[in-house]
Amino acid sequence: MTAIGMCFPRTYPAALVTDVARRLDQGGADELWIIEDCFFTAGPSLVSAALTATERLTVGLGIVPGVVRTAAVTAMEFATLEALGPGRFLPGIGHGVQSWMGQMGVRPKSPLTALEEVTMSVTRLLRGEEVSFQGKEVYLDKVQLDAPPAVVPPILLGVQGPKSMALAGRVADGVVLAEPATAAYVRQSVEYAGSPDGFVVATFTAMCVRDDRKAAYE
């Protein structure tokens, strides 16, 4: 199934998100993707506003850096957002831009290891498990969500490169691909992930709508 929507750019004023979400919801678009980049607007807050302002629209979070919040807090936020729009929330987690992570003092020694530990921990918490885990980047001591979602939303990883794509195929439910996402790039990414069944692929791309095809292309 193919769904079409738009992104809410990081530079848009936060208060605009409800109007954009309502217009998309009423106009028949399938999805709205919220962009979280440091140090602009906060993704989960905007997702919350968009979900509560709409009835049908799916809202994606693309993406939260895995190490900025603890795994427990990320799971809490995801569970809360899923409760606000059951079946309409698509959460994304990524490495984050490493220079930004360094600015905040959270740059991991191994971004790949950090993302694997975070993704696995968040997934287990969303399933309602009590989690105790001591990894290289994640520490949890008998942590359990009080209100895990009835249905766990698919966790997507915003990643690039063969190793990260392979990780997504092992521990996540799909990927978020940055622009420009050509058909060949999408196919290659899914192959790197191992082509798992039910793998969700969200792609960002730029487009221009004009009455004249030549003008739009230019």
Side-chain angles (χ1 to χ4, degrees), residues 16-195:
L16 187 62
V17 73
T18 51
D19 183 56
V20 170
R22 289 191 189 104
R23 287 172 180 263
L24 290 175
D25 197 40
Q26 296 165 4
D30 301 305
E31 298 179 352
L32 170 63
W33 279 85
I34 302 298
I35 308 301
E36 178 174 277
D37 278 343
C38 303
F39 303 93
F40 295 85
T41 47
S45 303
L46 294 178
V47 171
S48 174
L51 285 171
T52 54
T54 56
E55 298 179 355
R56 182 193 54 81
L57 193 69
T58 294
V59 183
L61 178 53
I63 56 174
V64 296
V67 295
V68 169
R69 302 163 179 86
T70 66
V73 171
T74 297
M76 288 167 58
E77 289 189 321
F78 286 2
T80 300
L81 293 170
E82 174 63 22
L84 292 174
R88 298 194 292 124
F89 172 51
L90 288 176
I93 308 174
H95 297 300
V97 177
Q98 293 306 293
S99 59
W100 290 340
M101 302 304 103
Q103 283 180 268
M104 294 182 285
V106 294
R107 184 169 184 166
K109 291 182 179 179
S110 171
L112 202 65
T113 298
L115 186 57
E116 180 172 6
E117 291 182 359
V118 168
T119 304
M120 293 178 63
S121 298
V122 169
T123 300
R124 292 182 61 191
L125 289 168
L126 291 175
R127 289 173 180 166
E129 298 179 31
E130 180 183 273
V131 182
S132 292
F133 178 76
Q134 185 171 355
K136 294 182 178 179
E137 299 292 339
V138 174
Y139 177 86
L140 297 168
D141 182 16
K142 297 181 180 179
V143 175
Q144 186 172 25
L145 294 183
D146 180 69
V151 178
V152 178
I155 304 295
L156 312 184
L157 298 191
V159 291
Q160 297 176 324
K163 291 183 179 179
S164 294
M165 292 295 176
L167 172 65
R170 293 197 309 272
V171 304
D173 304 297
V175 290
V176 180
L177 303 180
E179 70 281 355
T182 64
Y185 177 51
V186 172
R187 285 195 296 269
Q188 185 183 62
S189 299
V190 174
E191 289 175 2
Y192 283 148
S195 302

